[in-house]
Amino acid sequence: MSRADTSGPQAPQETPDAPDAPPEETAPAAAQATAPARTPSLLWTFGLFRSELLTTFRRWRTIALLGVLAAVPILVGIAVRIETGDGSSMGGGPEGGGGGGGPAFIAQITNNGLFLVFTALAATLPFFLPMAVGVIAGDAIAGEANAGTLRYLLVSPAGRTRLLFTKYATTMTFCLVATLVVAASALAVGALLFPLGDLTTISGTRISFAEGLLRALLIALAVAASLIGVAALGLFISTLTNSGIAAMATTVGLLITVQILDQIPQLDALHPYFFSHYWLSFADLMREPVYWDDLQRNLGLQAVYAAVFGSAAWARFTVKDITA
């Protein structure tokens, strides 16, 4: 009787559910701990892109590049103003086009300051804009590797493909911002130093100032799109080395080499395949009607360069040893 009395109250204490309680309580916590390891959300991707933008545009190097680009229209405008201060006009024919007639806009600056926008873009596109984009693209991956931050970026759920795409999107954003900086600086200087109003296209027709502003915006977008291939090329070179300086120097060197080759008559058969060949086709946007042939060839060529070198950059970056 005494054993039954002592054993009876002890039976409820040894419940079979008691040992299973801790696993049941920790199961939701374990599931929550593994949840963030899944594919990053779209919001997270935009956060990564925003972080890359802030990092890029806060660098003194980026600010200096934009400052140099903004100074080019100022120098051109002052030079034209001094040259025409006695009432004379600048030389240059009215015709321009896909083969490189953009600089002919300089002859029209004294009549309408809006032409300084076209002239400044034509002056910066062959060297200054591609060089700035080459510096940003060349440093995109190699600079992170050189600083030792690349491995930490890849520890996050970004993934190599997502990070590479974000770097390219950041570089293309810089292309657009740099082009708009040149255009805005030129428009401000043109308005200060020269008259504004209706303008004459290179076909001889008259368009309103509002339409001229719209075409100036289209030209800026066309110039930014002309740098798509350069951005992809620079990004690919950036995946080949851990030295940001080497990647930037190589990219700029290739830009100069390609443009030199594009001027050699003996290589005329190869010229249409150089990414810089149709750069000045934006001048056709100032014709009436607009000539779209060279503009379309330029966009198609840039898309091919972006696809080829973008794929090469992805293939290289996915197997790149980030521990070296």
Side-chain angles (χ1 to χ4, degrees):
M1 187 69 182
S2 61
R3 288 182 182 178
D5 294 338
T6 56
S7 61
Q10 294 175 357
Q13 298 176 3
E14 298 178 357
T15 59
D17 296 336
D20 296 334
E24 290 177 1
E25 293 174 0
T26 57
Q32 293 175 3
T34 57
R38 298 176 181 176
T39 303
S41 64
L42 184 61
L43 184 61
W44 191 94
T45 302
F46 279 115
L48 178 63
F49 175 59
R50 177 178 176 274
S51 176
E52 286 294 328
L53 281 180
L54 292 176
T55 301
T56 299
F57 284 95
R58 283 176 178 175
R59 289 173 178 161
W60 284 108
R61 178 177 61 236
T62 304
I63 297 174
L65 289 173
L66 294 176
V68 170
L69 291 172
V72 172
I74 298 175
L75 296 177
V76 173
I78 293 176
V80 173
R81 183 66 178 177
I82 293 175
E83 180 71 16
T84 60
D86 57 354
S88 61
S89 60
M90 299 288 293
E95 289 297 323
F105 289 132
I106 197 171
Q108 305 294 330
I109 294 178
T110 54
N111 299 325
N112 195 316
L114 189 58
F115 278 100
L116 184 58
V117 176
F118 314 137
T119 302
L121 290 172
T124 54
L125 183 55
F127 179 73
F128 292 102
L129 277 171
M131 180 197 69
V133 173
V135 168
I136 299 299
D139 190 57
I141 300 296
E144 299 282 4
N146 185 50
T149 56
L150 183 59
R151 68 185 69 181
Y152 299 107
L153 284 174
L154 294 177
V155 166
S156 64
R160 300 197 180 202
T161 300
R162 193 181 299 265
L163 179 61
L164 187 68
F165 179 80
T166 302
K167 291 287 187 180
Y168 185 70
T170 302
T171 304
M172 285 309 306
T173 303
F174 175 81
C175 293
L176 180 61
V177 171
T179 305
L180 292 178
V181 164
V182 174
S185 175
L187 181 60
V189 175
L192 288 174
L193 300 181
F194 306 101
L196 297 176
D198 295 348
L199 62 158
T200 304
T201 66
I202 56 180
S203 298
T205 58
R206 296 283 292 180
I207 60 176
S208 65
F209 179 71
E211 185 176 352
L213 282 177
L214 177 60
R215 296 205 185 193
L217 177 59
L218 292 177
I219 285 176
L221 295 177
V223 170
S226 298
L227 302 171
I228 292 176
V230 173
L233 174 62
L235 194 63
F236 168 63
I237 294 174
S238 185
T239 63
L240 300 178
T241 177
N242 290 336
S243 173
I245 295 178
M248 290 184 287
T250 303
T251 303
V252 174
L254 283 175
L255 291 173
I256 297 174
T257 302
V258 167
Q259 294 196 68
I260 292 175
L261 295 176
D262 197 23
Q263 302 301 320
I264 299 178
Q266 290 78 6
L267 300 177
D268 185 67
L270 298 177
H271 289 171
Y273 303 101
F274 294 146
F275 55 75
S276 61
H277 185 65
Y278 296 107
W279 273 355
L280 294 180
S281 61
F282 72 80
D284 290 339
L285 287 169
M286 280 304 296
R287 295 182 183 274
E288 188 65 37
V290 174
Y291 292 175
W292 295 104
D293 292 346
D294 283 348
L295 287 166
Q296 293 174 352
R297 292 189 185 99
N298 181 42
L299 293 177
L301 186 62
Q302 301 305 321
V304 169
Y305 270 88
V308 171
F309 287 103
S311 300
W314 175 82
R316 168 59 182 164
F317 188 55
T318 51
V319 297
K320 183 180 178 66
D321 182 13
I322 64 172
T323 62

